[in-house]
Amino acid sequence: MKKIVLLLTAFIGLTALQSCTVEEYYEDRGYNENISQVFELSNETLSTVEDAYTYSATWNFTTPIFDSDNVLVYRWQGNSWVLVPVSYNLGGSDMVKYDYDFTRYDVKVYFSANFPVNDLTNAEYNDFVYRQTFRVVVVPGGFQQKMNFSDYNATISALGLENAPVKTMQIKK
């Protein structure tokens, strides 16, 4: 009798565990937004001081992206878009670099140096920290095409965003 009760309890327990599901609900975000998106962050200064070697800025997505989405960040470098992370040699052992991270709700771009950022010349500060322009491309999690994402124009073309409006993001205060 004890074996039947134990077997029945185990069966009920397994059945109860199998019925647990987690569902996420996302609103339809309109034209091409549930597939991929592109945002521009124009004339932004990376003004949040993380420490003496790192400055950053954070921007909020207009609506949360999907958990499965990926984010690419490109920096405008005079005549072309350059995929971040990217490093620049200033001469000698002085190096600066850009990097980023993101969540479903925002993207944060970092500028860091291997020396205190306050030691940048005015020209270097203007070139690397002040009034920077970035493009943020949201790549859907189901995107299967293998490609080199370092070419911004090829990435936009592959995602079907050539004629899509470039949106703006609000800087996080």
Side-chain angles (χ1 to χ4, degrees):
M1 184 69 163
K2 289 183 183 179
K3 290 182 182 180
I4 293 173
V5 171
L6 182 60
L7 185 60
L8 185 59
T9 304
F11 177 74
I12 291 171
L14 288 174
T15 304
L17 290 175
Q18 293 296 323
S19 65
C20 294
T21 60
V22 176
E23 294 182 26
E24 293 186 76
Y25 172 76
Y26 298 99
E27 293 180 24
D28 180 21
R29 295 181 272 181
Y31 168 77
N32 210 23
E33 287 188 52
N34 54 353
I35 298 171
S36 54
Q37 305 174 74
V38 63
F39 299 92
E40 185 164 296
L41 317 167
S42 295
N43 296 319
E44 299 288 352
T45 300
L46 304 175
S47 59
T48 302
V49 178
E50 300 283 329
D51 58 42
Y53 303 92
T54 306
Y55 287 15
S56 70
T58 305
W59 295 269
N60 292 321
F61 288 113
T62 51
T63 57
I65 63 174
F66 295 107
D67 286 334
S68 60
D69 288 346
N70 199 358
V71 170
L72 301 171
V73 175
Y74 296 87
R75 177 181 175 261
W76 181 250
Q77 187 175 307
N79 58 0
S80 64
W81 294 103
V82 177
L83 182 63
V84 173
V86 61
S87 298
Y88 300 94
N89 187 341
L90 299 181
S93 63
D94 292 345
M95 302 261 324
V96 297
K97 70 177 181 174
Y98 292 93
D99 207 345
Y100 71 99
D101 63 26
F102 68 95
T103 68
R104 290 186 56 220
Y105 306 100
D106 59 29
V107 62
K108 185 176 200 174
V109 175
Y110 299 92
F111 168 82
S112 60
N114 63 351
F115 56 89
V117 175
N118 286 339
D119 291 349
L120 288 170
T121 66
N122 285 340
E124 291 168 340
Y125 182 85
N126 288 337
D127 286 346
F128 294 110
V129 179
Y130 183 68
R131 297 179 55 112
Q132 299 297 299
T133 300
F134 298 95
R135 287 254 171 113
V136 175
V137 178
V138 177
V139 179
F143 187 70
Q144 296 294 319
Q145 185 175 342
K146 292 187 183 220
M147 61 178 294
N148 180 357
F149 288 109
S150 63
D151 182 344
Y152 173 79
N153 293 320
T155 301
I156 293 302
S157 178
L159 293 170
L161 294 171
E162 303 97 327
N163 298 318
V166 175
K167 301 171 190 164
T168 58
M169 295 173 76
Q170 296 301 315
I171 197 159
K172 196 177 225 179
K173 302 289 181 188

